[in-house]
Amino acid sequence: MRHSTPVLALAAMLAAAAVLIAGPLTPPPGPPASTPKTLNEVEPRIPISSLPAVINAPGSYYLTANLFNAISTSDSITIGTPNVTLDLNGFVLSGGAFAIAVNAGGAGGSVTITNGTIRGASSAINANIFGGDGSIPIIVRDVRFQNILGTAIITQSNALIERCTFRSVGTAVLAGTNATIRDCITIDNRSAGFDVNVGSTIERSVASFINSSGAGATGFVLRPGSSASRVIAHNVSTPPSGLNLAVFLDSSSSLRDSNIFNSHFGVTASSGARVDGVSFHALSGIPYSTNVSSTGATIENSLFTAANNAIGFAGNSTANTVRNNIIRGTTINPNPNTNVGIGINVTPGATATITGNLIGNINRAIALQSSFNTVHSNTFNLVGSNVSGFAAGSAPAGANLIGPINAAAAATTSQSPLVNLLF
Amino acid sequence: MNTRALILGSCLVLATVSTTLLVAGPLTPPPGAPASTYKTLAQIEPRTPISAAAFTIEAPGSYYLTSNITQPALGSGSFALSINAPDVTLDLNGFTVQGGETAILLEPGASNVTIRNGTVRGTSGSGIFAAGFPEPGNTVRNVTLESITDAAILLGPAASVSDVRMINVGDGVLVGHSSIVTAVSIQAAQRAGFTLGEGSIAQHCTVISGLGPPTFSGHAFRLATGAMAVNCVARSNAGPGFILDSAAVARDCDASDNAGGGFVLASNTRIDRCTASANGIAGVVVPPNTTGWTIDRSTITNHTNGITLATNATQGAIRNNTIRGLGTTSGSGILANVATVGDLTITANTIAQVQRGIILDGGFSSIVGNAFTTVGTAITNSFGSPASSTNLVANVLNSTTATTATNALVNTQN
């Protein structure tokens, strides 16, 4: 068998060749076609290269350059159809000084706008047709707004606005119902920061240095049933003055785990509103850091420091709750018996249940000017007077349930469980 | 008619119909000049490419890297990229910017700048650095920074930094007022972690030494006036975990194994629902002359002294906390061993496993409603004697007696 090795090698080569040529000989169906991508496959979106532009078909659009609208009274981009995504592509959309940069009021459905800068228009993004609250759910993400004459973003219901920055605009956002705003910053505004309608949420956002020159600014406006958490409002007006307000809570809205400082007024709360875990600092406003103007509000677990006055209940503001807060004023005797230096002020006609609070370094801890209030289990430290009428040391008005106020005697085991401590 | 003629006739009819259909379109050309219906390459990628260092962006617009770029020079004033115009978006496009004294320099005038999506590494100075008086409104997103000698990111007011990872940097993140920093992790910073400007927010951020022994002695987090840290973590650093300036708040934050202490407070600050564990010095440090501070709803464990108060630390509230030490042979839950400490409110805390629950040398404080468990002594002064009678100290009862007490303010011990 001298030839066995070459024979085997030849057999192996034939077998290998058979494997190598074993592919199908039939060509793929259809006409021959190029395998590289076409340019339209590389960028299938629709370019926008000049202004004004009108979008009348659903789809994905993008800017191809910084675009300036030289027609001051013409909207820059008008969206008249739903299901549109507009990518600013990192570019700047500007001009149209007396018009809207992106008018989505006629979209009638979903619109998404992302990734770029809008500046120099009367309004930046407007999806609010006829001032109504319809159904154009708009998403605005990663957009910077600057030098907008009026409101930067106006939306209908179900808007999502995130990671946007607003500078030198009138109002940052005026949103319809059920909006979500998060991770947004607004500074140097002329009017309001974020104003959201019924059932909206705001989280992790900042409103600061609003209306530096004067009057009427508001950091956050929460319409009924809305919620804000982990937000900061500061320097709402510089210097703090005028009617500027950090947060307005409409009925049944809430503010949680947030900071408010170096401003004029802190929070104005309406019926059923709730303030929980908020830190107030250095608010110069008179009358109060938190002013409750209606019924059934709750203020709890919050911290008030360096304030002229902390919490005030206006007349006819009834059935309110103030519990587990810490209130520290500026000094025990700043200007006694004026409207400066009151921890909790219940004005005639108002009622509140006030429990578990620590109030210190202030002229009057609690001023009860009305009947039917409950005051117990509070602690008073370094106060001019603890529970009084409007004047320090005067008797509270009317018939109130006030737990005994004791100092050393409270250390015994025989005190009322409703005792207020004084030290 | 034979079959062949029938087929030919049918074909003729079909051809006629097809021809009619094919020529049925409008013959009038569309208005305007003839133009290509295809996109140009400039429309496909309209952004401005950057392919080499050093490059300066001098006009607003959208820019992107086409490759990794390196500035080999590391001397003073060198940079890989600089930006001196507003409204710029710089997409690193997944590439790396390396070298220079500063990798990406934001010069005066560079506001509303966004830098995203890539890596910055290997500088002799800073990573992304706003020079001079930093402009507002700049953003860094989805960037990794490595081996940066000085500040990894330094930006001005209203800055936004998110989804950033840092390893081996000098300082981590420094931002001006009204900024938001989210989901940023810093590992092995040499000097400090986060330095937040007034009224800024940090959330879901971490500072972890991570490379064996602690490597830096600055702060993990420093919160300027009114700033807020939420859900942040400082672990295994040589310096303090959180330093709070006036009116700052740390909420739901964790500080563990930081040699410089867990939380360091200032006047009018607050920590709420935080956790401090096994830090050096103490879980919470209240420095001299600090007033109006609050420690609330927090868990402070595994320290020799849980909370320490220095000279003139006054008007503080310590409420609803759990403080657990290292055992009954050493340490204290709350150490206030200077006579000038006063006007404290210490209530509803659980203090356990320490030699001495509360040491209080000053007066004019209130201590009520606390529970002491497995402690040598509950409330004394430094000499083991009862605290000053100027304090309002509720009776300390054992748990059996306390069940019959009518006053919910009593302190209990078992």
Side-chain angles (χ1 to χ4, degrees), chain B residues 159-175:
Chain B
S160 175
V161 181
S162 65
D163 303 305
V164 169
R165 179 170 170 263
M166 300 181 180
I167 300 175
N168 189 25
V169 299
D171 294 273
V173 176
L174 302 93
V175 290

PDB file of all heavy atoms in Angstrom, chain B residues 159-175:
ATOM      1  N   ALA B 159     -25.864  75.350  35.804  1.00  0.00           N
ATOM      2  CA  ALA B 159     -25.248  74.255  35.049  1.00  0.00           C
ATOM      3  C   ALA B 159     -26.032  72.970  35.271  1.00  0.00           C
ATOM      4  O   ALA B 159     -26.719  72.804  36.281  1.00  0.00           O
ATOM      5  CB  ALA B 159     -23.802  74.068  35.490  1.00  0.00           C
ATOM      6  N   SER B 160     -25.911  72.084  34.314  1.00  0.00           N
ATOM      7  CA  SER B 160     -26.552  70.779  34.422  1.00  0.00           C
ATOM      8  C   SER B 160     -25.514  69.715  34.110  1.00  0.00           C
ATOM      9  O   SER B 160     -24.901  69.728  33.043  1.00  0.00           O
ATOM     10  CB  SER B 160     -27.722  70.695  33.433  1.00  0.00           C
ATOM     11  OG  SER B 160     -28.279  69.398  33.443  1.00  0.00           O
ATOM     12  N   VAL B 161     -25.318  68.813  35.054  1.00  0.00           N
ATOM     13  CA  VAL B 161     -24.341  67.729  34.868  1.00  0.00           C
ATOM     14  C   VAL B 161     -25.048  66.428  35.193  1.00  0.00           C
ATOM     15  O   VAL B 161     -25.588  66.268  36.297  1.00  0.00           O
ATOM     16  CB  VAL B 161     -23.116  67.905  35.793  1.00  0.00           C
ATOM     17  CG1 VAL B 161     -22.106  66.791  35.572  1.00  0.00           C
ATOM     18  CG2 VAL B 161     -22.468  69.267  35.576  1.00  0.00           C
ATOM     19  N   SER B 162     -25.067  65.493  34.265  1.00  0.00           N
ATOM     20  CA  SER B 162     -25.773  64.240  34.531  1.00  0.00           C
ATOM     21  C   SER B 162     -25.136  63.080  33.808  1.00  0.00           C
ATOM     22  O   SER B 162     -24.473  63.255  32.782  1.00  0.00           O
ATOM     23  CB  SER B 162     -27.251  64.367  34.120  1.00  0.00           C
ATOM     24  OG  SER B 162     -27.362  64.548  32.736  1.00  0.00           O
ATOM     25  N   ASP B 163     -25.329  61.915  34.387  1.00  0.00           N
ATOM     26  CA  ASP B 163     -24.856  60.666  33.781  1.00  0.00           C
ATOM     27  C   ASP B 163     -23.370  60.750  33.453  1.00  0.00           C
ATOM     28  O   ASP B 163     -22.950  60.521  32.313  1.00  0.00           O
ATOM     29  CB  ASP B 163     -25.674  60.332  32.532  1.00  0.00           C
ATOM     30  CG  ASP B 163     -27.156  60.226  32.840  1.00  0.00           C
ATOM     31  OD1 ASP B 163     -27.516  59.438  33.732  1.00  0.00           O
ATOM     32  OD2 ASP B 163     -27.940  60.957  32.212  1.00  0.00           O
ATOM     33  N   VAL B 164     -22.602  61.084  34.457  1.00  0.00           N
ATOM     34  CA  VAL B 164     -21.159  61.267  34.300  1.00  0.00           C
ATOM     35  C   VAL B 164     -20.433  60.331  35.259  1.00  0.00           C
ATOM     36  O   VAL B 164     -20.870  60.126  36.394  1.00  0.00           O
ATOM     37  CB  VAL B 164     -20.756  62.734  34.585  1.00  0.00           C
ATOM     38  CG1 VAL B 164     -19.247  62.883  34.692  1.00  0.00           C
ATOM     39  CG2 VAL B 164     -21.297  63.649  33.487  1.00  0.00           C
ATOM     40  N   ARG B 165     -19.320  59.788  34.785  1.00  0.00           N
ATOM     41  CA  ARG B 165     -18.515  58.896  35.610  1.00  0.00           C
ATOM     42  C   ARG B 165     -17.091  59.431  35.633  1.00  0.00           C
ATOM     43  O   ARG B 165     -16.553  59.822  34.593  1.00  0.00           O
ATOM     44  CB  ARG B 165     -18.549  57.488  35.011  1.00  0.00           C
ATOM     45  CG  ARG B 165     -17.758  56.451  35.729  1.00  0.00           C
ATOM     46  CD  ARG B 165     -18.091  55.071  35.168  1.00  0.00           C
ATOM     47  NE  ARG B 165     -17.179  54.050  35.663  1.00  0.00           N
ATOM     48  CZ  ARG B 165     -16.132  53.623  34.994  1.00  0.00           C
ATOM     49  NH1 ARG B 165     -15.857  54.121  33.821  1.00  0.00           N
ATOM     50  NH2 ARG B 165     -15.351  52.691  35.504  1.00  0.00           N
ATOM     51  N   MET B 166     -16.496  59.444  36.825  1.00  0.00           N
ATOM     52  CA  MET B 166     -15.137  59.976  36.962  1.00  0.00           C
ATOM     53  C   MET B 166     -14.273  58.989  37.727  1.00  0.00           C
ATOM     54  O   MET B 166     -14.714  58.412  38.727  1.00  0.00           O
ATOM     55  CB  MET B 166     -15.150  61.291  37.739  1.00  0.00           C
ATOM     56  CG  MET B 166     -15.955  62.381  37.110  1.00  0.00           C
ATOM     57  SD  MET B 166     -15.850  63.872  38.109  1.00  0.00           S
ATOM     58  CE  MET B 166     -16.887  64.960  37.136  1.00  0.00           C
ATOM     59  N   ILE B 167     -13.066  58.841  37.272  1.00  0.00           N
ATOM     60  CA  ILE B 167     -12.098  57.999  37.982  1.00  0.00           C
ATOM     61  C   ILE B 167     -10.772  58.740  38.022  1.00  0.00           C
ATOM     62  O   ILE B 167     -10.288  59.212  36.983  1.00  0.00           O
ATOM     63  CB  ILE B 167     -11.905  56.636  37.274  1.00  0.00           C
ATOM     64  CG1 ILE B 167     -13.223  55.880  37.196  1.00  0.00           C
ATOM     65  CG2 ILE B 167     -10.864  55.802  38.008  1.00  0.00           C
ATOM     66  CD1 ILE B 167     -13.136  54.593  36.421  1.00  0.00           C
ATOM     67  N   ASN B 168     -10.199  58.824  39.211  1.00  0.00           N
ATOM     68  CA  ASN B 168      -8.878  59.406  39.383  1.00  0.00           C
ATOM     69  C   ASN B 168      -8.821  60.838  38.857  1.00  0.00           C
ATOM     70  O   ASN B 168      -8.194  61.129  37.847  1.00  0.00           O
ATOM     71  CB  ASN B 168      -7.820  58.536  38.694  1.00  0.00           C
ATOM     72  CG  ASN B 168      -6.416  58.983  39.035  1.00  0.00           C
ATOM     73  OD1 ASN B 168      -6.199  59.599  40.082  1.00  0.00           O
ATOM     74  ND2 ASN B 168      -5.468  58.681  38.172  1.00  0.00           N
ATOM     75  N   VAL B 169      -9.495  61.711  39.583  1.00  0.00           N
ATOM     76  CA  VAL B 169      -9.504  63.125  39.227  1.00  0.00           C
ATOM     77  C   VAL B 169      -9.033  63.940  40.429  1.00  0.00           C
ATOM     78  O   VAL B 169      -8.962  63.418  41.553  1.00  0.00           O
ATOM     79  CB  VAL B 169     -10.908  63.585  38.795  1.00  0.00           C
ATOM     80  CG1 VAL B 169     -11.372  62.808  37.568  1.00  0.00           C
ATOM     81  CG2 VAL B 169     -11.907  63.421  39.936  1.00  0.00           C
ATOM     82  N   GLY B 170      -8.709  65.221  40.207  1.00  0.00           N
ATOM     83  CA  GLY B 170      -8.340  66.079  41.325  1.00  0.00           C
ATOM     84  C   GLY B 170      -9.582  66.454  42.113  1.00  0.00           C
ATOM     85  O   GLY B 170      -9.900  65.868  43.140  1.00  0.00           O
ATOM     86  N   ASP B 171     -10.316  67.431  41.609  1.00  0.00           N
ATOM     87  CA  ASP B 171     -11.652  67.742  42.116  1.00  0.00           C
ATOM     88  C   ASP B 171     -12.662  67.155  41.142  1.00  0.00           C
ATOM     89  O   ASP B 171     -12.416  67.099  39.934  1.00  0.00           O
ATOM     90  CB  ASP B 171     -11.849  69.257  42.210  1.00  0.00           C
ATOM     91  CG  ASP B 171     -10.934  69.881  43.243  1.00  0.00           C
ATOM     92  OD1 ASP B 171     -11.318  69.921  44.422  1.00  0.00           O
ATOM     93  OD2 ASP B 171      -9.827  70.311  42.856  1.00  0.00           O
ATOM     94  N   GLY B 172     -13.819  66.782  41.681  1.00  0.00           N
ATOM     95  CA  GLY B 172     -14.820  66.176  40.811  1.00  0.00           C
ATOM     96  C   GLY B 172     -15.640  67.200  40.059  1.00  0.00           C
ATOM     97  O   GLY B 172     -15.330  67.574  38.925  1.00  0.00           O
ATOM     98  N   VAL B 173     -16.692  67.687  40.688  1.00  0.00           N
ATOM     99  CA  VAL B 173     -17.624  68.615  40.038  1.00  0.00           C
ATOM    100  C   VAL B 173     -17.717  69.889  40.869  1.00  0.00           C
ATOM    101  O   VAL B 173     -17.975  69.832  42.075  1.00  0.00           O
ATOM    102  CB  VAL B 173     -19.030  67.990  39.903  1.00  0.00           C
ATOM    103  CG1 VAL B 173     -20.016  68.995  39.321  1.00  0.00           C
ATOM    104  CG2 VAL B 173     -18.978  66.742  39.030  1.00  0.00           C
ATOM    105  N   LEU B 174     -17.499  71.028  40.232  1.00  0.00           N
ATOM    106  CA  LEU B 174     -17.729  72.325  40.856  1.00  0.00           C
ATOM    107  C   LEU B 174     -18.702  73.094  39.974  1.00  0.00           C
ATOM    108  O   LEU B 174     -18.423  73.302  38.789  1.00  0.00           O
ATOM    109  CB  LEU B 174     -16.436  73.116  41.009  1.00  0.00           C
ATOM    110  CG  LEU B 174     -15.309  72.466  41.821  1.00  0.00           C
ATOM    111  CD1 LEU B 174     -14.357  71.701  40.908  1.00  0.00           C
ATOM    112  CD2 LEU B 174     -14.530  73.500  42.628  1.00  0.00           C
ATOM    113  N   VAL B 175     -19.820  73.488  40.531  1.00  0.00           N
ATOM    114  CA  VAL B 175     -20.821  74.214  39.744  1.00  0.00           C
ATOM    115  C   VAL B 175     -21.291  75.440  40.516  1.00  0.00           C
ATOM    116  O   VAL B 175     -21.283  75.475  41.745  1.00  0.00           O
ATOM    117  CB  VAL B 175     -22.038  73.327  39.402  1.00  0.00           C
ATOM    118  CG1 VAL B 175     -21.654  72.245  38.394  1.00  0.00           C
ATOM    119  CG2 VAL B 175     -22.639  72.708  40.652  1.00  0.00           C
TER     120      VAL B 175
END
